[in-house]
Amino acid sequence: MIKTKILAPSQNAHPYPLLIKSLLLSGQRYEPNNEIVYSDVLRYSYKTLIQRICQLANVLTEAGVQAGDTVAVMDWDSHRYLEAYFAVPMIGAVLHHVNVRLSLDQIIYTMDHAEDNYVLVHDDFLILAEQFGKKIPSIRGYVQLTDTASAAETSLNTLGEYEALLASASDQYDFPDFDENSIATTFYTTGTTGNPKGVYFSHRQLVLHTLNMAATLGCYEGQPLLRSNDVYMPMTPMFHVHAWGVPYVATMLGVKQVYPGRYEPNKLVELFAREKVTFSHGVPTILQMVLDSEAAKTTDLSGWKMLTGGSAPTLGMAKHMADRGILFYTAYGMSETCPLLTATYLRHDELAKPMSDQMAERIKTGVPIAMVDLKIVDVMGNDVPHDGESMGEVVARAPWLTQGYYKEPEKSDELWENGWLHTGDVASISPEGTLEIKDRIKDVIKTGGEWISSLELENLISQNEAVNQVAVVGVPDERWGERPFAMIVPAEGYSIDAADIKQHLQHYVDSGQIAKWAIPERISIVSEIPKTSVGKINKKLIRDQVDA
Amino acid sequence: MIKTKILAPSQNAHPYPLLIKSLLLSGQRYEPNNEIVYSDVLRYSYKTLIQRICQLANVLTEAGVQAGDTVAVMDWDSHRYLEAYFAVPMIGAVLHHVNVRLSLDQIIYTMDHAEDNYVLVHDDFLILAEQFGKKIPSIRGYVQLTDTASAAETSLNTLGEYEALLASASDQYDFPDFDENSIATTFYTTGTTGNPKGVYFSHRQLVLHTLNMAATLGCYEGQPLLRSNDVYMPMTPMFHVHAWGVPYVATMLGVKQVYPGRYEPNKLVELFAREKVTFSHGVPTILQMVLDSEAAKTTDLSGWKMLTGGSAPTLGMAKHMADRGILFYTAYGMSETCPLLTATYLRHDELAKPMSDQMAERIKTGVPIAMVDLKIVDVMGNDVPHDGESMGEVVARAPWLTQGYYKEPEKSDELWENGWLHTGDVASISPEGTLEIKDRIKDVIKTGGEWISSLELENLISQNEAVNQVAVVGVPDERWGERPFAMIVPAEGYSIDAADIKQHLQHYVDSGQIAKWAIPERISIVSEIPKTSVGKINKKLIRDQVDA
């Protein structure tokens, strides 16, 4: 390291560690009367939010939670979750966002692996929690989260019900300073193979993610998603990558926030209309369910700013959004990245187009936000040109990336190979700087030094009306390294063979959309494609079957 | 310190120190074609800005500048200064912003005290620099900054002219990582007594100031001062507290920037009109000169967003701004604070008023920005109530405050007494949270446990038409600690005595504006009030004379 000038501070100087508590200062000063709304259950002001965060901190401290302990939350999106986002890290403990959508075994695995000490558990998950028993020996206590007048019966020995506990606690708490590198949050990411892996974020990382996201969403006229006059409602669960980090930004800005509880599409639309929501975000599946809901048919959705991510929205869906007057944006990130890396950025010329013509750009994953160093690299780690065609793995540096997987040193070192976080995504970057995700690197087909996107081949093949389902994987090839292999389920009433598919793909070769060598030699017509337990195509199994 | 959970990162993980180079990533990606304009001399794109910063880094490195060295700049506001804001800290050196408005002796004092090694000096200051000679032994070299076709003659042994040096340097530079606490900038603050004091800011502090300022100026609808579509031109010199930090924010956002050279009011207005400037900032004196210029009389100034600070603007000036359609805002900070602490914040109800009725709020110093912890305290350090009347010294914590005065440990410890940075300003805070600066703490009169603002008394006395000039100071009093003493110069053609003044002030007592005990017993009618060398009232001398 080069030798720069570093001066010792005054012995009296306050060093100001970057702690989550500092994000609470401004919102309440700017807009003390703005509200936090929990579905139909509760609403209160920012002034009350601060008091309740102090009350929760007192409840936890009196229950014996200490700095360094881990507190798990099993809840739908609620004011309680927001309070826990602050109170738990602010007393020096770690907040484990439990993914309640996992199987019981996976939930137990993650909570045991995270060494959870206390669990805040909603009535809907009591039956799950009653089965933890001795399987998670680290647990020392439970707090029950109830939305109704009387708490559900449970055999768990809980400390009491959340609201009752808060009501009897002091609304003052002197939150201590401590090391900004203290872990504030943890949660688990699931792949197609192996156990879930724990990612973790420090106070410093969350503060820096919040500040950069605020600057990005507020300053850029091409993506003015969240400003002080907005009303925010998440449609990404709060247990999923900090609800993309937005609750922290919204609280720092003091904007009105609406938490919808368990997601029900009609309910989301009703809350949007009633609370005058202006900004939401969610994966394409959720947004599509909202669009298709009964309530959406009779509600004016215009002006709703929607950010999507997690997987690529279709152009059809985006145009449907535009038709309804929804302002649609895309972002890119993952559990390992806190998550924000890139977001739609529309320059003057793009914004001047009619909305329907902006959609092709809006569904791409956008441009890296401030302070994100991001590039695409080949298998040797060399930079790949930004020509909009060449593909490379997306690698990134930013001040808010998980520094590893919890208690998995080998996987941590792989994640950070060569000092860059490897996203496992393959993308191109246009000359204008727009990132377009093409595939997962494990699914991309590496053939003769070139990469073919399995997703692109699947898209092209699926445009043949005789095709119902298709999966494309790379299989080993002595000469080329890998070659594409396609597995196809014909549409009902159609009969199809490999030659038909090759002929179909030849049209795209002729029009220059794909190279000649992208056409698979091996095409298998089947009655069913192997799927994972959650219904995704099981490419690993397909590859194993072809190899065998 | 409490014991929290801290995890060792993967051995491969990139720690991402907060360095100024990271602020350069986004602007060029978002708006590569936006321009940097230097008066009538030069204009280029962000793409070129990055190349020129690399060129400057190469010039300095090849000249022998090393990490830890200090590079001084003596220039008016220019593209060169902007390039130095980045290139100098990015090679690990310290950028000394020399206040070229100081006397030669003071300039020499500050440059010697800062141990400057290289000096970038504009032709206008060559005559000054030629006198440095052996008085500043640390200087090893000079670079000449020239705006005309041929550089001025000089006896200094310079490395060459800036543009010529850049033109022959490589436009690639691999900027290293280093400790984020490395000092990036330094400059000097002058008081009424003693030598100038050096403040200093680290890379981490400047990055955090930039991010928070971006979020503040971009997200808050009540103060939307700087967003990506804006065009920025400073009217605060770049040697004065980083031009309030805005060049770093503007560069991160990729907005068009206009640097006007030496400030000439007509020129500033012409640049505003020609370059379609939307956002500027400056002290009230400069803004008044701009408003009063010939060019302003024939130019439509509407929509120009103006931020003021440094001293309080008058309501008359603010109304004049409003009449011209200028959107007027106030901020508060000082050299020690990087500088931003507070800025005008207008809530919904305030924004709904006609502009002329907003002016009383707009000229106050606003609300603390995100992450700033700020309060008013009495002499014992106890919190003072937020009732809009009670006065206390403004003390602050934020992640970007100087950690001391360079090589002045005692003054550093005083600055940070009790772990809070003492601003030396006395203010009230309204129940809505708006800060209003009332006085300097050394001028406030502490009497019987209460504080009287000397500025407020001066304002009230000056409203008597028989008064030309007035100064109020606190003088020692055995019973009350201090009592106010007023020194008055009568207006021409008027004769006045102490009783007249007391009677005049009694009206304000009767109307409830001041307390009875605020009326000075001792009032002295004089022909002249002692002034400092720069024309300010010399309160220290007045106090000394009264004591004697």
Side-chain angles (χ1 to χ4, degrees), chain A residues 4 16 30-31 182 347 371, chain B residues 4 16 30 182 345 347 371:
Chain A
T4 53
Y16 209 105
Y30 281 130
E31 299 292 354
S182 302
R347 300 187 182 84
M371 298 188 73
Chain B
T4 53
Y16 209 107
Y30 281 130
S182 302
Y345 184 81
R347 298 186 183 86
M371 297 189 72

Side-chain angles (χ1 to χ4, degrees), chain B residues 59-323:
Chain B
V59 167
L60 295 173
T61 303
E62 284 159 26
V65 178
Q66 298 189 346
D69 279 350
T70 300
V71 177
V73 174
M74 303 178 73
D75 195 6
W76 308 112
D77 287 11
S78 71
H79 66 298
R80 295 175 296 243
Y81 223 134
L82 180 68
E83 290 156 13
Y85 266 40
F86 287 92
V88 174
M90 281 163 64
I91 62 172
V94 180
L95 181 71
H96 177 190
H97 309 125
V98 178
N99 184 343
V100 294
R101 293 290 192 189
L102 297 181
S103 68
L104 176 62
D105 280 356
Q106 282 181 310
I107 289 175
I108 289 175
Y109 173 84
T110 61
M111 294 179 72
D112 183 52
H113 189 266
E115 300 160 67
D116 292 343
N117 303 115
Y118 290 84
V119 187
L120 276 54
V121 55
H122 186 276
D123 284 349
D124 287 358
F125 310 111
L126 282 176
I127 294 169
L128 280 179
E130 283 161 3
Q131 296 173 69
F132 295 165
K134 290 178 183 164
K135 291 176 185 162
I136 313 176
S138 54
I139 295 178
R140 303 202 295 267
Y142 295 87
V143 171
Q144 193 170 355
L145 312 178
T146 295
D147 293 330
T148 51
S150 57
E153 293 278 320
T154 176
S155 62
L156 289 176
N157 185 18
T158 77
L159 297 165
E161 199 283 317
Y162 187 91
E163 292 296 336
L165 290 167
L166 258 62
S168 63
S170 162
D171 63 5
Q172 301 284 318
Y173 197 104
D174 188 17
F175 291 101
D177 274 0
F178 45 76
D179 190 321
E180 67 186 24
N181 295 306
S182 302
I183 303 305
T185 64
T186 187
F187 44 87
Y188 284 74
T189 172
T190 50
T192 44
T193 56
N195 281 320
K197 299 191 289 291
V199 296
Y200 47 87
F201 299 93
S202 68
H203 282 256
R204 171 187 162 107
Q205 291 181 312
L206 283 163
V207 167
L208 291 168
H209 185 266
T210 302
L211 290 174
N212 276 277
M213 186 181 242
T216 298
L217 301 187
C219 295
Y220 288 102
E221 297 292 5
Q223 54 191 24
L225 282 161
L226 185 57
R227 292 175 177 167
S228 61
N229 286 356
D230 278 302
V231 176
Y232 166 61
M233 179 175 75
M235 302 198 305
T236 307
M238 294 181 83
F239 61 72
H240 189 69
V241 211
H242 315 108
W244 297 358
V246 185
Y248 286 118
V249 183
T251 305
M252 184 179 92
L253 299 184
V255 309
K256 177 176 171 182
Q257 304 181 52
V258 181
Y259 290 93
R262 186 175 182 157
Y263 293 170
E264 294 167 28
N266 287 316
K267 185 58 174 291
L268 292 169
V269 173
E270 283 158 23
L271 283 170
F272 157 78
R274 188 184 80 197
E275 302 296 339
K276 300 186 170 47
V277 168
T278 62
F279 171 51
S280 294
H281 53 78
V283 295
T285 322
I286 288 281
L287 302 194
Q288 189 68 52
M289 283 165 61
V290 169
L291 273 180
D292 293 344
S293 69
E294 278 305 307
K297 288 180 185 136
T298 56
T299 304
D300 176 9
L301 304 179
S302 61
W304 199 352
K305 294 180 284 189
M306 288 267 209
L307 183 68
T308 200
S311 63
T314 64
L315 195 55
M317 177 186 170
K319 286 188 168 158
H320 189 178
M321 295 261 186
D323 290 345

